[in-house]
C-alpha cells in the first residue's frame, strides 16, 4: 500500500476494506485503483489528489489566486490546454510551469514537451479550477458571455414571430449558431460554473428575471428584454422534448447536456403565470451522488448508527426534511454503499433524478395509474432485497411500504416533516395503524443543509455573547472551539461560503419510543424522550459544526427549528 493511501486510511477518509475493494476491481476490470475509489464514491478526486501530491513531492496551487500572464498563457494553444486540461502558470528560467490534475499522466507531459519543444515542470490543481482558468484567460467563443449576449439583444431589435421561431429553432437545432441557442448554452454553462443547483427564468411586466440558486441562496443575473421570452422558452422546450405549442398548462421535461467535459441532467418545470411561462431548471450533477457516506457530514456517532441501519436485513428507514435538503443524495449514497452483485435493489421515484448503474429504477406515472403503491405491489414480486420509495404521500403507500418491511425487505423512504420525531406522528395522522408504525420503523432522520465557510478566506472570530447565549454555549465549550467565518474572496464570490454540508437529527427507535408510537403520543413527548436517549437535534449538530469551524452560528440560527 502506497504511503499516500496509508495516510488516507489513517486520516479516516477511506477504510482499508474500501481500498482493497478498489484494488480488486482494478485487477479484474483493469484501470487504476485510485480512479475506481473515486468512481465508487468513497472519496472525492480533489482530496485524493491532495494526498498523492503531498506524497510525490509536487506543489499544490490555488489557480483562483493567480493573475494570468498573457505571454505565458500564449505559450500553450487553447486547443491543447482544453484537450489535455492543463493551464500554463509561469516561466521558471527556460522551463514552463503548467498546472494539471494528475502529475503522473506521463503521456500528457510527453505530448506537451513535444508540441512546445521545451522543458515542462508540473504543479497540481483541481480539474474545476484548471477549466475555470482556461475559460477566464483563453475566453469562450471569442469572449462571449451571458452579459455580452444580453447586451447585444438589448441594443438590437431582434424579434421573433411564432412561425419564424419554430422554423428558426428547427434549423438552429442542427447548426447551434442562433443567438438564442448561444444564450441558452451560455446560461447553462455559467450556472454550472457558478455551482448553481437551479436556474430560474421568470417573466414580469417589462423584463425577464434570471436567477441562479447557489449554496441555497438565489443570486440575480442580468435581465434579458421581455421580447426574448417566447424564443427562450421555445428553445428550452425543444431541448427538453416538450410540446412548444402548449402554453396554458404546466409542463415537465428533461435535458441531458455536457458542460466542460462533464455530463449533467436538467429537470425542467414550466408554469404558466400572468406574464408568461416561468421556467425552473434543476441542475442534477451526477458527481453529487458519488459523495460517499463518510463525506455527507455525519458526526462519528451518527455515522456509526447510519451504517448499522443500512446493513440491517429488514425494516424501514425514514429520511425527512423540506425539498432541497439533500434527502435524495443521502439515500443514493446509502444505495451506492449497498449496490453489490449479491443485492437486488428496486426504486420507485417521482421523477427519477439520477440514473444509478446496477439498480432497477421505476418512475411514477400517475396519468396511466402507475402510482407509488402500485409500483411497490409489483416490485415485491421481483424479489428485491432493498426497496427505495421516493416519498410516502398517502395511507396506501405508507401501508404498502410497511408491509414490505415486515415481509423481510429493507425499505428506505422520505417524508416531509420538520424533524425526526414528527415522522412517527405524521404516518399515524395519514391513517397508518400505530402498531404497524411502531413495529416497522428502525430509525427516522431529519436533515438540512448549511453553508460551509470558504476554505480560502476563512479566519477565526469570536462570536457575540448574545449568539453564545442563544445556543447555550458555555465558556468551557468556547475555549475548546474554533469559530471561523469567511471574509469574502473570488473563490466564494465574496459570500464567505462555498459549498454546503448536511446537518442531521438521528432518532434510533427503541422499546420506549415504540411503545409511545403504539400509544399515538404527541411529537413533543416523543422528541423529549428521544433527547433523553441521546438524540442530537438539527440545531445541536449545526452548533457542533460551527464550533469546529465548518459553518457559522448564523447558519445554525437560520435552521429555525423548534427547540434546541
Amino acid at each position: 500500500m502506497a504511503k499516500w493511501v496509508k495516510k488516507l486510511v489513517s486520516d479516516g477518509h477511506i477504510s482499508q476494506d474500501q481500498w482493497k475493494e478498489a484494488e480488486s476491481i482494478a485487477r479484474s476490470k483493469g484501470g487504476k485503483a485510485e480512479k475506481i475509489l473515486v468512481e465508487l464514491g468513497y472519496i472525492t478526486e480533489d482530496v485524493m489528489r491532495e494526498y498523492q501530491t503531498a506524497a510525490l513531492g509536487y506543489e499544490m496551487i490555488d489557480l483562483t489566486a493567480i493573475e494570468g500572464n498573457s505571454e505565458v498563457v500564449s505559450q500553450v494553444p487553447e486547443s491543447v490546454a482544453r484537450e489535455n486540461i492543463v493551464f500554463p502558470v509561469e516561466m521558471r528560467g527556460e522551463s514552463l510551469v503548467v498546472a494539471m490534475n494528475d502529475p503522473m499522466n506521463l503521456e500528457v507531459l510527453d505530448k506537451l514537451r513535444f508540441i512546445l519543444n521545451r522543458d515542462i515542470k508540473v504543479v497540481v490543481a483541481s480539474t474545476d479550477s484548471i477549466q475555470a482558468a482556461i475559460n477566464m484567460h483563453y475566453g469562450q467563443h471569442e469572449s462571449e458571455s451571458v452579459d455580452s449576449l444580453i447586451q447585444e439583444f438589448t441594443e438590437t431589435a431582434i424579434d421573433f414571430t411564432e412561425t419564424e421561431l419554430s422554423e428558426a429553432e428547427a434549423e438552429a437545432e442542427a447548426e447551434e449558431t442562433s443567438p438564442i441557442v448561444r444564450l441558452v448554452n451560455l446560461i447553462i454553462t455559467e450556472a454550472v460554473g457558478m455551482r448553481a443547483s437551479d436556474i430560474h427564468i421568470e417573466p414580469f411586466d417589462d423584463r425577464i428575471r434570471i436567477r441562479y440558486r447557489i449554496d441555497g441562496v438565489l443570486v440575480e443575473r442580468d435581465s434579458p428584454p421581455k421580447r426574448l421570452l417566447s424564443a427562450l422558452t421555445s428553445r428550452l422546450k425543444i431541448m427538453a422534448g416538450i410540446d412548444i405549442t402548449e402554453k396554458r398548462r404546466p409542463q415537465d421535461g428533461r435535458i441531458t447536456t455536457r458542460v466542460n467535459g462533464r455530463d449533467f441532467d436538467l429537470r425542467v418545470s414550466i408554469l404558466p403565470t400572468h406574464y408568461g411561462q416561468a421556467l425552473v431548471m434543476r441542475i442534477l450533477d451526477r458527481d453529487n451522488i458519488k459523495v460517499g457516506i463518510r463525506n455527507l457530514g455525519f458526526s462519528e456517532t451518527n455515522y456509526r448508527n447510519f451504517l448499522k441501519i443500512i446493513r440491517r436485513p429488514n425494516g424501514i428507514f425514514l429520511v425527512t426534511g423540506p425539498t432541497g435538503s439533500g434527502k435524495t443524495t443521502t439515500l443514493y449514497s446509502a444505495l451506492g454503499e449497498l449496490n453489490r452483485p449479491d443485492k437486488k435493489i428496486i426504486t420507485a421515484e417521482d421523477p427519477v433524478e439520477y440514473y444509478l448503474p446496477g439498480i432497477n429504477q421505476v418512475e411514477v406515472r400517475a396519468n396511466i395509474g402507475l402510482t407509488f403503491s402500485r409500483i411497490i405491489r409489483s416490485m415485491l414480486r421481483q424479489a428485491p432485497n432493498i426497496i427505495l420509495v421516493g416519498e410516502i404521500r398517502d395511507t396506501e403507500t405508507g401501508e404498502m411500504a410497511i408491509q414490505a418491511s415486515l415481509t423481510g425487505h429493507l425499505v428506505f423512504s422520505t417524508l416531509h416533516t420538520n424533524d425526526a420525531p414528527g415522522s412517527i406522528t405524521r404516518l399515524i395522522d395519514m391513517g397508518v395503524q400505530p402498531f404497524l408504525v411502531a413495529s416497522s420503523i428502525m430509525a427516522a432522520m431529519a436533515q438540512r443543509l448549511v453553508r460551509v465557510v470558504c476554505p480560502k478566506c476563512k479566519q477565526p472570530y469570536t462570536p457575540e455573547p448574545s449568539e453564545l447565549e442563544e445556543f447555550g454555549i458555555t465558556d468551557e465549550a468556547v475555549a475548546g472551539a474554533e469559530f471561523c467565518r469567511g471574509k469574502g474572496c473570488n473563490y466564494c464570490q465574496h459570500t464567505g461560503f462555498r459549498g454546503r454540508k448536511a446537518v442531521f437529527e438521528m432518532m434510533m427507535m427503541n422499546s420506549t419510543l415504540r411503545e409511545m408510537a403504539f400509544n399515538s403520543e404527541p411529537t413533543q413527548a416523543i422528541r423529549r424522550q428521544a433527547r433523553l436517549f441521546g438524540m442530537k437535534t438539527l440545531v445541536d449538530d449545526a452548533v457542533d459544526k460551527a464550533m469546529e469551524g465548518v459553518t457559522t452560528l448564523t447558519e445554525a440560527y437560520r435552521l429555525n427549528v423548534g427547540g434546541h
Side-chain angles (χ1 to χ4, degrees):
M1 194 186 285
K3 275 186 184 177
W4 63 270
V5 179
K6 287 180 183 172
K7 187 92 170 67
L8 275 175
V9 173
S10 65
D11 287 357
H13 288 290
I14 59 168
S15 66
Q16 279 198 335
D17 289 344
Q18 287 171 333
W19 175 249
K20 283 176 185 169
E21 182 191 347
E23 281 189 313
S24 165
I25 294 171
R27 277 195 298 273
S28 61
K29 292 185 177 177
K32 293 183 177 179
E34 53 262 39
K35 194 175 179 186
I36 288 162
L37 208 59
V38 174
E39 285 171 3
L40 290 170
Y42 292 146
I43 193 170
T44 63
E45 189 177 4
D46 286 349
V47 170
M48 186 189 71
R49 199 65 73 208
E50 189 182 319
Y51 277 75
Q52 260 189 325
T53 302
L56 295 167
Y58 287 100
E59 181 188 351
M60 188 103 183
I61 66 161
D62 173 17
L63 280 178
T64 57
I66 287 174
E67 294 286 333
N69 181 321
S70 56
E71 281 185 28
V72 174
V73 170
S74 64
Q75 296 282 330
V76 179
E78 181 179 353
S79 57
V80 174
R82 286 193 187 280
E83 184 189 341
N84 300 289
I85 314 179
V86 297
F87 182 75
V89 178
E90 62 178 2
M91 294 296 298
R92 286 184 192 164
E94 291 299 306
S95 301
L96 175 66
V97 179
V98 298
M100 56 192 291
N101 183 247
D102 181 3
M104 299 308 291
N105 193 334
L106 302 178
E107 191 182 328
V108 168
L109 282 172
D110 288 343
K111 192 193 292 185
L112 287 175
R113 288 189 182 106
F114 177 75
I115 292 170
L116 306 177
N117 194 25
R118 64 167 66 249
D119 185 40
I120 303 291
K121 291 196 183 307
V122 176
V123 291
V124 181
S126 70
T127 305
D128 285 350
S129 67
I130 293 171
Q131 284 175 333
I134 291 170
N135 290 340
M136 182 185 292
H137 297 288
Y138 285 105
Q140 284 179 298
H141 310 296
E142 296 169 6
S143 302
E144 187 172 68
S145 68
V146 174
D147 295 337
S148 64
L149 205 49
I150 288 175
Q151 186 68 28
E152 184 185 323
F153 278 124
T154 309
E155 289 169 359
T156 57
I158 299 174
D159 204 353
F160 297 89
T161 66
E162 289 305 315
T163 327
E164 286 170 342
L165 180 66
S166 52
E167 289 170 4
E169 288 301 340
E171 290 170 21
E173 182 69 15
E175 293 177 18
E176 295 285 310
T177 55
S178 145
I180 283 293
V181 173
R182 297 207 315 274
L183 177 61
V184 167
N185 291 347
L186 284 168
I187 287 171
I188 293 170
T189 304
E190 182 181 71
V192 166
M194 292 172 78
R195 300 175 303 104
S197 59
D198 309 289
I199 302 170
H200 295 249
I201 300 174
E202 303 154 313
F204 290 99
D205 186 23
D206 57 347
R207 68 186 181 115
I208 303 168
R209 180 167 71 178
I210 296 179
R211 295 189 291 175
Y212 304 151
R213 191 182 293 280
I214 302 167
D215 293 338
V217 179
L218 282 166
V219 177
E220 190 162 347
R221 296 293 290 119
D222 280 3
S223 300
K226 180 68 185 287
R227 56 192 162 76
L228 291 184
L229 181 63
S230 62
L232 266 176
T233 52
S234 292
R235 171 59 187 161
L236 286 165
K237 281 184 176 186
I238 285 167
M239 290 174 77
I242 297 172
D243 179 8
I244 64 169
T245 60
E246 177 59 73
K247 294 180 174 59
R248 299 164 301 161
R249 292 192 182 97
Q251 294 170 287
D252 294 300
R254 197 181 188 104
I255 296 170
T256 301
T257 186
R258 196 168 177 82
V259 179
N260 292 335
R262 289 163 62 203
D263 291 318
F264 291 87
D265 291 324
L266 278 69
R267 212 170 71 207
V268 183
S269 170
I270 299 173
L271 185 71
T273 69
H274 179 63
Y275 291 112
Q277 296 173 92
L279 289 96
V280 175
M281 288 180 280
R282 166 70 67 87
I283 300 170
L284 304 171
D285 181 355
R286 295 174 192 180
D287 290 346
N288 282 354
I289 54 165
K290 296 178 184 173
V291 173
I293 295 172
R294 174 55 90 175
N295 298 317
L296 286 172
F298 285 118
S299 64
E300 204 52 48
T301 308
N302 283 344
Y303 176 68
R304 284 198 301 271
N305 285 336
F306 188 79
L307 288 182
K308 204 185 298 177
I309 291 160
I310 67 171
R311 284 171 184 161
R312 288 275 299 271
N314 63 317
I316 287 191
F317 176 47
L318 290 174
V319 180
T320 84
T323 305
S325 58
K327 301 188 297 294
T328 303
T329 301
T330 299
L331 288 176
Y332 277 19
S333 297
L335 293 184
E337 178 79 12
L338 299 168
N339 187 13
R340 298 287 176 269
D342 61 334
K343 293 272 193 298
K344 170 137 183 168
I345 302 172
I346 307 182
T347 75
E349 302 171 67
D350 183 19
V352 172
E353 291 201 1
Y354 300 95
Y355 297 107
L356 302 168
I359 292 175
N360 302 277
Q361 294 171 276
V362 186
E363 188 155 315
V364 168
R365 294 170 67 189
N367 59 328
I368 59 165
L370 194 61
T371 59
F372 275 120
S373 52
R374 184 93 174 266
I375 294 169
I376 298 168
R377 195 175 290 117
S378 301
M379 69 166 61
L380 290 176
R381 298 187 196 119
Q382 298 269 318
N385 301 100
I386 298 153
I387 291 169
L388 167 67
V389 180
E391 188 186 335
I392 295 176
R393 293 177 183 170
D394 52 44
T395 316
E396 193 182 2
T397 307
E399 286 182 343
M400 288 295 302
I402 284 172
Q403 291 297 343
S405 75
L406 294 174
T407 51
H409 303 88
L410 178 61
V411 180
F412 297 135
S413 191
T414 71
L415 268 179
H416 287 291
T417 61
N418 285 329
D419 57 7
S423 58
I424 305 294
T425 46
R426 175 89 178 94
L427 281 175
I428 295 168
D429 288 345
M430 259 184 206
V432 180
Q433 294 293 333
F435 73 90
L436 287 174
V437 174
S439 57
S440 61
I441 292 178
M442 299 181 293
M445 183 176 81
Q447 74 175 76
R448 298 285 191 286
L449 295 175
V450 291
R451 290 184 293 172
V452 173
V453 177
C454 173
K456 306 290 185 195
C457 62
K458 75 188 298 185
Q459 52 189 27
Y461 84 108
T462 307
E464 297 293 322
S466 59
E467 281 186 285
L468 299 172
E469 193 181 327
E470 168 74 28
F471 297 108
I473 302 171
T474 61
D475 291 342
E476 290 80 14
V478 171
E482 293 180 26
F483 291 106
C484 292
R485 64 181 170 199
K487 62 180 180 182
C489 63
N490 288 335
Y491 189 60
C492 61
Q493 273 119 36
H494 299 280
T495 60
F497 297 98
R498 186 178 168 96
R500 290 188 291 174
K501 260 215 167 26
V503 292
F504 300 97
E505 177 176 290
M506 176 91 77
M507 184 178 77
M508 303 290 288
M509 294 296 280
N510 56 31
S511 53
T512 309
L513 294 173
R514 288 186 197 286
E515 193 173 329
M516 294 179 82
F518 183 77
N519 295 327
S520 303
E521 296 207 20
T523 302
Q524 272 67 30
I526 297 174
R527 183 182 187 79
R528 204 176 306 117
Q529 194 63 47
R531 294 204 68 189
L532 289 173
F533 284 117
M535 179 187 83
K536 282 202 164 189
T537 66
L538 288 163
V539 174
D540 290 337
D541 198 25
V543 170
D544 286 348
K545 286 184 170 62
M547 290 169 72
E548 292 166 11
V550 174
T551 187
T552 65
L553 287 176
T554 319
E555 285 293 292
Y557 190 75
R558 276 179 66 236
L559 287 175
N560 196 24
V561 289
H564 52 259

